[in-house]
Amino acid sequence: MEQIAVLVDSCCDLPKEYLKKAGIYELPMQIAYHDKTYSDRVDISAEEVYQNLPVEIPKTSLPSGESIQNTLDKIARDGYSQIISISVSSGLSGTFNFLKVFLDEDERFVTKYFDTKQVAICSGLIAIGAKNLIDAGKSLEEVAAAVEKMCQNAMVYFCIPTLTYLRAGGRISAVAATVGGMLKLAPIVTCTPEGTYTIAAKARGMKKGQKMMLDYAKKFINDGDKYLIGIGHGADSVGGQHMLDLLHDNGIKGEQEFTEQVGPALGVHTGPGLIGVAVVKI
């Protein structure tokens, strides 16, 4: 039987227990400081990036061509001939298009690649869904069809306590950040169908923000749906757990549930204190 590998970029915030599984490969984003560039999760952790934010907000960039080539070589050496490649939204990162060039030219593999139009743990949940199907013995075509469906049936919302970092990263204007700061507004950010960021709502503080995200999840989920849940947090595991408890208290329980620290690629733009909710129907 042909072996199928799952390839993700580190923006997908794939939970640690899945990163350890055989057949999952992660391409590290690059985290660039003024004096040195690191590979995400390889030689710098999300926690270290967060701790250093008051000193320097780094730039993030695509995985290097060298790391892509090395990863593909490793996938081939490990005996895989088929790849399901899952990337964060091409509207937020150039990774999908850059990686596609390598995959199209590599004749060692039959590849199905997906621009999830999502970000962070939401893209990670789609990769988890794919890996579960592979482990259940599904074919490349069956897995690809299911992933296509999952991409269409996914949602993510992030509530952010401050607009400072979005402004520093050039994601919003200084005026919007100042007004938001004065009003103590916690914006709720989501992905548009095209896969770009948009502010869905502004909550008066994080507590209200979590309640609003609960409402978004309730609206998204119908009776009888099976789904995965991901909670992302920015160095605030207590807040992440509170969000999960809030979902449970309202009858929202996933087939699998994950609470993960948000990776540097998103974290540098949002700063500490972020709480996010992702749901992917399976």
Side-chain angles (χ1 to χ4, degrees):
M1 201 171 89
E2 300 286 336
Q3 297 269 47
I4 309 170
V6 175
L7 180 60
V8 296
D9 57 69
S10 66
C11 273
C12 292
D13 290 345
L14 200 63
K16 291 176 190 68
E17 63 258 47
Y18 268 76
L19 283 174
K20 289 179 188 148
K21 284 180 181 266
I24 287 201
Y25 299 83
E26 185 182 55
L27 295 169
M29 304 299 282
Q30 297 182 83
I31 314 288
Y33 288 92
H34 71 283
D35 58 348
K36 193 174 175 190
T37 297
Y38 297 88
S39 293
D40 181 16
R41 294 216 228 203
V42 176
D43 45 24
I44 193 165
S45 70
E47 287 77 8
E48 288 169 310
V49 174
Y50 270 96
Q51 282 156 14
N52 204 39
L53 279 177
V55 182
E56 185 180 355
I57 301 172
K59 299 266 186 286
T60 57
S61 63
L62 313 183
S64 67
E66 187 188 9
S67 78
I68 292 174
Q69 196 53 62
N70 289 344
T71 304
L72 292 178
D73 291 345
K74 181 162 176 35
I75 292 173
R77 275 200 311 276
D78 290 348
Y80 294 93
S81 56
Q82 301 180 332
I83 297 175
I84 292 277
S85 174
I86 290 170
S87 306
V88 294
S89 175
S90 61
L92 297 169
S93 163
T95 306
F96 172 75
N97 289 316
F98 187 46
L99 177 57
K100 194 167 169 289
V101 173
F102 283 82
L103 293 170
D104 282 344
E105 286 179 359
D106 201 320
E107 290 176 359
R108 293 174 295 182
F109 309 105
V110 176
T111 305
K112 303 279 187 186
Y113 34 70
F114 296 90
D115 173 359
T116 61
K117 306 284 188 206
Q118 298 290 345
V119 70
I121 187 79
C122 192
S123 301
L125 290 179
I126 293 168
I128 285 168
K131 178 62 176 161
N132 291 347
L133 291 167
I134 291 165
D135 289 350
K138 301 291 184 193
S139 69
L140 185 71
E141 267 63 34
E142 288 170 317
V143 177
V147 170
E148 187 72 56
K149 231 170 140 180
M150 283 187 265
C151 291
Q152 314 279 321
N153 288 287
M155 63 145 249
V156 67
Y157 288 91
F158 294 103
C159 192
I160 306 167
T162 170
L163 292 165
T164 307
Y165 298 95
L166 275 176
R167 186 183 76 184
R171 294 299 196 266
I172 58 163
S173 72
V175 175
T178 309
V179 171
M182 278 162 36
L183 299 173
K184 288 278 178 280
L185 291 178
I188 296 175
V189 179
T190 189
C191 288
T192 64
E194 296 74 47
T196 55
Y197 285 143
T198 185
I199 293 182
K202 294 189 181 107
R204 289 201 174 261
M206 290 296 288
K207 258 207 166 104
K208 283 257 168 63
Q210 291 202 23
K211 285 209 172 75
M212 288 169 89
M213 290 194 293
L214 165 68
D215 289 340
Y216 286 126
K218 275 184 179 164
K219 275 197 195 102
F220 181 71
I221 296 163
N222 302 307
D223 284 348
D225 281 344
K226 286 193 162 166
Y227 49 88
L228 307 174
I229 288 178
I231 304 290
H233 67 83
D236 182 6
S237 54
V238 174
Q241 187 56 51
H242 178 261
M243 188 67 233
L244 191 58
D245 292 343
L246 197 58
L247 294 173
H248 288 171
D249 292 346
N250 286 270
I252 294 173
K253 188 140 182 26
E255 300 287 308
Q256 286 174 279
E257 298 178 332
F258 304 90
T259 303
E260 279 296 308
Q261 160 84 33
V262 168
L266 181 65
V268 297
H269 299 307
T270 52
L274 163 150
I275 302 291
V277 180
V279 180
V280 172
K281 295 179 187 177
I282 51 173

